[in-house]
Every structure is written in structure tokens, then in C-alpha cells.
Amino acid sequence: MSEAGRIYGINGPVVYVKGDIGFKMSEMVYVGPEKLVGEVISLDKNAATVQVFEDTTGIRPGDQAEASGYPFSVSLAPGILHNIFDGIERPLEQIAAQSGKFIRRGTQVDSLDFQKRWETHIAVAAGEQIKPGDVIARVPETAAITHRCMVPPGVQGVVEKTVCDGSYTIDEPLVTVRQENGDLRELSMMQQWPIRVPRPVSLRYPASRPLITGQRILDTMFPIAKGGTACIPGGFGTGKTMTQHQIAKWSDADIIIYIGCGERGNEMTQVLEEFSKLVDPRNGNPLMYRTVLIANTSNMPVAAREASIYTGLTLAEYYRDMGYDVAVMADSTSRWAEALRELSGRLEEMPAEEGFPAYLASRLSAFYERAGTMMNLNGTEGSVSIIGAVSPQGGDFSEPVTQNTKRFVRCFWGLDKSLAYSRHFPAIHWLTSYSEYLKDLAPWYGEHVSMEFVDHRNRIMALLNQESGLMEIVKLIGSDVLPDDQKLILEIARVIRLGFLQQNAFHKDDTIFEAVISMKYDVPNDRLKMFDEYRKAVDDFYRKIIEKNG
Ligand SMILES: Nc1ncnc2c1ncn2[C@@H]1O[C@H](COP(=O)(O)OP(=O)(O)OP(=O)(O)O)[C@@H](O)[C@H]1O
Ligand SMILES: [Mg+2]
């Protein structure tokens, strides 16, 4: 603890501190006698503004705010997976053990378990040259994932000595490095990283592989690339959460980071209950073995909600650095934007559209920019894919969060109220949705599904478009007057919609990996034949995935 300043003003989660106290921007600060965790968000010569990640009730002018000396960071080490954190990486289980079911303020718990011993395999030897990103030890973190402990960015040199393979805690020194300036530095499994700074990489690759979601409409009509970005905008109850759960459960990402951001507490409880029971379709282990949940429900402090997105992203990037494909779900980015708006209001910043701060767009773009397939510093390839739910009020897509999000994501999976009301799930509307990855992924689909895949996909989209045009006429004068050819288009489109695009998340077979159509159709027709081939190709492809996963 270096220095302390005096609080002279408090406005909700925003606290003003007086004096030339040597605070730095984004530094972590402990506020008041309970040492509530906060972060410096604005500075001038004799004063600092701090956002506090906990409820500030009872804090008074005159109380102290202490500097921590380092930026607001998360701890990265084995023990992250299979865990449930709040927005600032405090494990909820430990908080509950310390303060009961209702989180007490100022509860100080370690992010990770410092007592637990991990079976460690050292991956470097004395005399070896090491640089940032190099793997120094391998730790089986869960039955599903091996944790690769890496040299943190900024450390470089020659290994002086190492410990033997064995079991160690996360902060015990494993490797001693003589750095280029001659200093010795001890490396343990753990490193710290400031949440607002993207972790460094060597190279960004263009999109080339799809993230297989197991949802037919997404995988075949509007695919997202590994390392890609997508948003799921939709009005109340149209299926945003459900779609994200489905992707979290069934996608072929190695690691899932699920950020419940400002949504209802009962929804989060449902996630916790459901996920803990889920079995990984790949290997029969619990799905939680490769999942991290970050819970910041609507009744938790807004500043922590603002931070939760960055906490999640930093954890995702850390696993990407190990060479894993990580998928981040954020439900919902609108609640996050509302947290920005509330904080900005408290800071008396000039509001822009609908009261959101003028920097809403740059924050959103910085968030989605952290996605990508990268060549990591250690030469491995890993990816972070981001899928953000957007909940526009009244389902009106013209509001600022949806519009700005649309500028930065390349997949738009628009949920439609009328589809949801007519129980067509997932209610992703094929006419409003799009994926800009289709072209990048076409070679992959050609190789792994079928050569005609993209062509068939486009023809199916054309049929659905024709159907929507014909439906206008049908609405006016009925379908009887249509020529047979057009009637057939309507019939085929119906088969595609009801038999292929609909997918019931609650049905044990339909929920995943079955591109089979339950409807009967026996009209001989080349369009139907084309659709049949397409469907069979998708079916074969899903089957291959099932076989590969045992
Ligand atoms: N793929 C699906 N299969 C079956 N039912 C679905 C599917 N998607 C959504 N539903 C139904 O829609 C309901 C609402 O979905 P969900 O809770 O995901 O909506 P939401 O958009 O997250 O709502 P909110 O705005 O309240 O957060 C679900 O409880 C479920 O009954
Ligand atoms: Mg929801």
C-alpha cells in the first residue's frame, strides 16, 4: 500500500478523492475502512475520481482511499476453469463461505486457491533461452484441459534453474530466469494482467475455420468463424439467452467463458444449475471442466458489471495464448452499455444519443476487436470468438447499442418477435440475419462438407426470399391463384423452415447434431433434390463430428 488520499465527495459508485496522491490512471484503489475495491477512472493534479466495484453506502467524506500501486488486474493460473466468479474475479463460492448467501461488502477473497497443489510438469531446462509466451510448465487443470503456464510478457532471458516435476501451489517459484539486464526473476504458475489491456500476440490470421455451433441455421446459413464476432439482438423473450446456452453447450470451442452481465438473478441461477449438470459431448466429463462462468446479475453493482466484460475477455485471451479456441458469450451487452451510461451520468459527462456516452461506439469496437484467430507469442494458434447478446428495448433495432454493435460484428443473428410468438425456434430470422464470413469459410465448407455446399446454401436462401415475396401476394389474394411452380416454391420453403431451420433446444435429439427432417415430402423436383443433397451433406458432416468426438 503506497499512499492514501481523502474522500471529499461520493456519488453512487463514483468517489472523489482529494490531494496530490500519486494515483495513476486505471490503478486499483481501496476505498474506506472496509477497503472496497475501486479503480481510478479520471485524474487531475490534485484530485482523482474512482469507480468503486461495490456498494458505497456508509462511506463518508474524510474516509481514506489507498493506492495499491498496480493497475486493476486479474490473476491468471490453474484454477480458473470450473469456477464461478463475480465481475472482478472473486470466486462466488469463497465469498459465500465467508459472508453467507448475501455478499457482504469489502469481502476480501483470493481470486484463485493458493493452498491447492497442482501436479506440475516442468517444460524447460537450465540454460535454455526463454521469451514471453514460452511454456514453462504443464499442469492438468481439469480432466479436459491442460494448463500451459507461460512466461509473462516482458520477461526474457536464460533459465538459471528449475524445480523438479512434482506438486506445487500456484505462487511457488518454478523457474528462475536471468534476465538480459542481469537481474534474477522467479516465475511461478501465476501471472497478473490488467483487464483493460489486450494481451499481446504475434500475428492476426484471417478467418478460415468456422466455429461449429451445432445449431443448423447458424452452421449452414449464417456461420461464424473461429475468432469471429457475432451479435444476437432480440426483444424480450425471443431466445437470446437460449441461443447462447445452446452454443455454450454444443459448440466445438475448447473453452467457454460465459459472462452473465446484468441479467436477472434467476436466469443466472438457472445457468449455474444447468451447466453443473451438463455432460461434455466430447468426452463425457462435466462441461464445467472447460467452462468459466462470470456472474454479475442486475442487482450487483454497476461498476463491477462494466468490468465483468473485460475480466472475461482477459481470461479468454489467456487460454487463447495457450493455443486453445475460446468462445466468449456475453449476455447482455445492452446491460453493459447501460452500466456505462449510468457511470457516465454520475461523472456528469455530456450525454450523446439516448443518454449513452459519446464513447459508446469506441468501447463496443474495442470489445469486439479483442476477438480473433491469432498466432500467439509462443507460435501456437488460438482464437477468441465473441458472441454478444443485445437486448434493445421494445425489440427496436434502431437504438444505439444495436446500431453501433452492427458496425463492429460480422455476424448478425437477428431474433424476430413474430417467429418467437409462433414458436419457431431458434427465432433467428433468415431475412434480417447475415454473416460476412461466408466467403472466407467457403473453401473450408468445400473441403469438409461438400463442394456444392455454398452454392446450395445460396439457392436455399433464394428460395426463402422468393417465398417471402410470394407471401405478400398470398396475403392479398390467397394461394389458389398461384401457378403450380410458385405453389411448389411455397411448399419447399415450408419444408426448409419447419424441417430444417427450426430446432428445438428441449428435444433430446433435435437439440444438436441431427440435420434430419421429420416431415414427409415426396414431390419429385430438382429444387427439393438439391435441398435433400444439401441436408444429407450437413447430416454426414455432423455425423463425422460425432464420430470424431467418440
Ligand atoms: N431453440 C429453442 N428451442 C426451444 N425453445 C426456445 C428456443 N429458444 C428460445 N426458446 C423459448 O423461448 C423462451 C425465452 O428464451 P430466452 O430466455 O432465451 O429469451 P431472451 O431473449 O433471453 O429473453 P430476455 O429478454 O428475457 O432475456 C425460452 O424459455 C424457451 O421456451
Ligand atoms: Mg435472456
Side-chain angles (χ1 to χ4, degrees), residues 305-410:
R305 184 191 309 171
E306 192 267 337
S308 65
I309 288 272
Y310 297 99
T311 301
L313 276 176
T314 309
L315 300 183
E317 287 176 345
Y318 177 60
Y319 281 94
R320 174 207 65 204
D321 288 350
M322 298 180 202
Y324 290 117
D325 292 317
V326 187
V328 177
M329 317 283 147
D331 190 13
S332 127
T333 56
S334 296
R335 306 281 165 265
W336 173 67
E338 280 161 20
L340 285 183
R341 174 163 69 186
E342 179 168 343
L343 289 165
S344 161
R346 303 268 188 195
L347 293 169
E348 295 170 22
E349 289 166 345
M350 182 79 82
E353 226 183 326
E354 289 195 16
F356 287 106
Y359 46 77
L360 173 68
S362 62
R363 290 286 170 89
L364 277 170
S365 92
F367 165 58
Y368 285 108
E369 257 323 292
R370 286 177 77 170
T373 300
M374 311 292 193
M375 186 207 265
N376 297 316
L377 295 180
N378 52 19
T380 56
E381 183 180 326
S383 67
V384 174
S385 316
I386 304 184
I387 298 161
V390 185
S391 19
Q393 267 179 16
D396 170 16
F397 289 179
S398 66
E399 57 85 49
V401 182
T402 317
Q403 283 306 316
N404 282 307
T405 303
K406 224 173 161 174
R407 287 165 57 195
F408 308 118
V409 298
R410 292 184 65 200

Side-chain angles (χ1 to χ4, degrees), residues 237 239-242 258 263-264 267 331-332 389 391:
K240 299 177 289 295
T241 306
M242 203 71 189
Y258 188 95
E263 289 293 289
R264 292 178 295 274
E267 220 163 68
D331 190 13
S332 127
S391 19

Side-chain angles (χ1 to χ4, degrees), residues 430-458:
W430 48 93
L431 297 178
T432 52
S433 303
Y434 59 80
S435 163
E436 291 175 6
Y437 293 111
L438 205 62
K439 218 166 135 211
D440 302 320
L441 300 177
W444 191 95
Y445 277 103
E447 190 183 324
H448 292 87
V449 188
S450 81
M451 283 319 286
E452 302 79 35
F453 179 82
V454 174
D455 178 44
H456 285 174
R457 180 253 172 220
N458 291 341

Side-chain angles (χ1 to χ4, degrees), residues 236-242 263-264 423 425 503-506:
F236 171 70
T238 46
K240 299 177 289 295
T241 306
M242 203 71 189
E263 289 293 289
R264 292 178 295 274
R423 312 293 300 163
F425 287 120
Q503 190 168 0
N504 185 352
F506 298 115

